[in-house]
């Protein structure tokens, strides 16, 4: 019954990688807390780099500097 | 003043259906808790089936199996 | 499979009222979009009035003015 | 280390305006609570006006009425 | 830089179990997407069973029935 | 109409500091995007240090090390 929301920048995660995140986090909740995987919900949000800030600036600006 | 976030898979909900969710949940909060509808905010997120997991797998995979 | 998050101020909603919100929003999603109620998840967050702001001020301050 | 999520309607905010929101809120958390800007994360979600409701109706409908 | 929010019912997860969720999901994002663990943020919300609904009813009610 | 959610660790923010965050972020959205402060909603979540992770470990553990 857990609900997990994963937010990452939109920078090319593939369907396979997203499926791996979903299965991995579902298994983690089962292993650590005994949560039923059948009702574990995982939602991945991919966010444009213009819309993600860290250190007071956008990821777009950081990527241009090579960070 | 309540804030409601509804997350559904992106599978063709129409503007009319989304308007119906917004009016319905606003009315529910008014009826049950007496909340002022004028300041009730509702945000609907439509999520790609590749980005939604349940039971450890993506909805894309489940839909292919007919679920 | 939808996920709904309802945020309200912590001002005495009873367990019965919260149960009514949960059943009401689940039924709404079934009626409007045909969503399976068995996998619809609803999470209610009750937020202290010191931690909720509208119009640039906290709800605590507004309540003191009788709003 | 704070995490801030800003949700606005998708109505033409420019990259510069979004960068200004990110730097402004990061500075606010530093000034008010002494939070380290290097680990402050800000995520901006732009939401279609069909998917945003207030007063029981969508912003799309309100905009048509000139609100 | 990812942000992960894990919501579970408040039913006795220990600090050690929560630490294990945090390290596990951080490692998962590093392994699958190469994300830097130093800036991966994980927030766990523990929600009262009165405030969590599935199948149109609260978890409190389900637990009483032995589910 | 914007909605802002600020998550910080629960480490003694005062009501005055929280009021300052609310007024500050509301003003920021007015200045940058012309948003109406009357309908800007801000919700502050204070999260236990056991429930907040960064760098793969809890803030509780980091605080013990003096970070």
């Amino acid at each position: 019954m857990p609900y997990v929301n994963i937010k990452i920048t939109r920078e090319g995660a593939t369907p396979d990688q997203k499926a791996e995140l979903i299965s991995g986090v579902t298994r983690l909740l089962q292993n650590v807390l005994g949560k039923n995987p059948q009702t574990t919900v995982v939602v991945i949000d991919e966010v444009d780099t213009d819309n993600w800030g860290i250190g007071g600036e956008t990821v777009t600006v950081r990527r241009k500097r090579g960070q």
Side-chain angles (χ1 to χ4, degrees), chain A residues 8-30:
Chain A
I8 54 175
T9 43
R10 190 189 305 280
E11 298 180 279
T14 65
D16 278 359
Q17 287 172 322
K18 292 187 280 191
E20 210 176 326
L21 290 179
I22 286 167
S23 64
V25 80
T26 302
R27 204 162 40 231
L28 181 69
L29 281 155
Q30 184 176 24

Side-chain angles (χ1 to χ4, degrees), chain A residues 2-61:
Chain A
Y3 170 79
V4 180
N5 180 224
I6 299 174
K7 286 186 198 292
I8 54 175
T9 43
R10 190 189 305 280
E11 298 180 279
T14 65
D16 278 359
Q17 287 172 322
K18 292 187 280 191
E20 210 176 326
L21 290 179
I22 286 167
S23 64
V25 80
T26 302
R27 204 162 40 231
L28 181 69
L29 281 155
Q30 184 176 24
N31 291 345
V32 176
L33 293 176
K35 295 295 183 185
N36 178 1
Q38 288 317 308
T39 53
T40 294
V41 173
V42 185
V43 171
I44 300 170
D45 291 328
E46 295 174 276
V47 177
D48 289 346
T49 56
D50 276 354
N51 289 18
W52 193 296
I54 185 164
E57 57 187 6
T58 65
V59 174
T60 304
V61 166

